[in-house]
Amino acid sequence: GLDADGVVRNATRRATDPAAEVQKRDLAGSNKSFAPVLPGNPKSVWLVEGGADALALQSWARSSGKEPPTVVVTGGKNVRSFLDEPRIADLLKRADQVTIATEREKDPAKQAATDEAHAKLAEAVETATGKRIKWWEPAEGQKDLAEHWAALAWQQEQQRMAQERQAEAERQRQAEAARPRRSYGMER
């Protein structure tokens, strides 16, 4: 996340090795008030927990032929300090719609805590902006926007490949039908 002068004030390092002891780490000196913002349609602003979710959301919109929304990466379900950053507060106030992307957790106790944290975030955003918040929830069996987009992208790729196979089969059928036949003098 950048401050008003474009100086990096908030950065998180994400592990690429699933076996890494620490999967996510805020870099020294990071201030979560300066949440990263992926620019998009300013009328639709989404609040997501992580950068992978932000990228997935914008990719999803683009692949659907829609203008991607503006996305604020909050840095976690319990983080609300970004609401105190004037540029982000203004962004939220100017939006026609603010959406919070929720997540599915593996166990009921953790899900309850996550739901409570998202409800508190929604209340804080509604108080700060005077707007009613919209909720987005991943499909059953998917944790978050990133997993949702991955599943959609896989389905879209499977459909694309099936269409290519059908088109190739049709080209071969047409080529076969157009190929001249040898005559052996037996036709009438």
Side-chain angles (χ1 to χ4, degrees):
L2 308 175
D3 65 15
D5 297 323
V7 175
V8 176
R9 299 288 306 274
N10 180 17
T12 302
R13 186 188 69 116
R14 184 79 161 160
T16 56
D17 178 2
E21 187 175 324
V22 177
Q23 288 294 307
K24 190 166 77 169
R25 178 186 321 235
D26 294 330
L27 298 183
S30 285
N31 179 344
K32 289 203 184 269
S33 296
F34 297 94
V37 177
L38 271 70
N41 180 351
K43 294 180 179 184
S44 175
V45 177
W46 282 59
L47 304 177
V48 303
E49 288 188 26
D53 294 325
L55 294 171
L57 177 59
Q58 288 204 336
S59 294
W60 182 13
R62 284 187 180 95
S63 74
S64 301
K66 298 177 183 169
E67 181 180 9
T70 294
V71 187
V72 178
V73 181
T74 66
K77 63 183 176 272
N78 291 309
V79 179
R80 293 186 282 286
S81 58
F82 65 90
L83 293 171
D84 298 329
E85 184 4 64
R87 289 181 314 122
I88 293 175
D90 186 55
L91 182 75
L92 294 169
K93 286 177 186 169
R94 290 176 184 256
D96 291 341
Q97 179 66 60
V98 177
T99 303
I100 294 176
T102 63
E103 299 200 358
R104 289 191 188 275
E105 304 296 352
K106 291 182 180 175
D107 67 78
K110 190 169 183 182
Q111 186 65 58
T114 297
D115 291 346
E116 183 179 344
H118 285 137
K120 287 179 181 177
L121 174 59
E123 184 180 334
V125 173
E126 287 176 354
T127 299
T129 65
K131 295 181 183 351
R132 184 96 175 118
I133 303 306
K134 185 176 174 185
W135 297 81
W136 179 89
E137 184 175 89
E140 195 67 43
Q142 297 170 353
K143 179 176 176 19
D144 53 22
L145 267 164
E147 284 189 13
H148 184 77
W149 164 243
L152 285 175
W154 184 85
Q155 288 173 347
Q156 289 171 347
E157 182 62 13
Q158 294 301 310
Q159 289 171 349
R160 184 192 66 74
M161 289 169 47
Q163 289 170 346
E164 282 182 5
R165 286 191 300 272
Q166 288 174 341
E168 181 58 28
E170 180 61 20
R171 279 191 293 277
Q172 287 177 2
R173 188 192 64 71
Q174 289 175 358
E176 179 68 27
R179 193 167 63 222
R181 303 282 181 216
R182 291 191 116 168
S183 173
Y184 297 103
M186 305 289 280
E187 17 342 279
R188 292 187 183 223

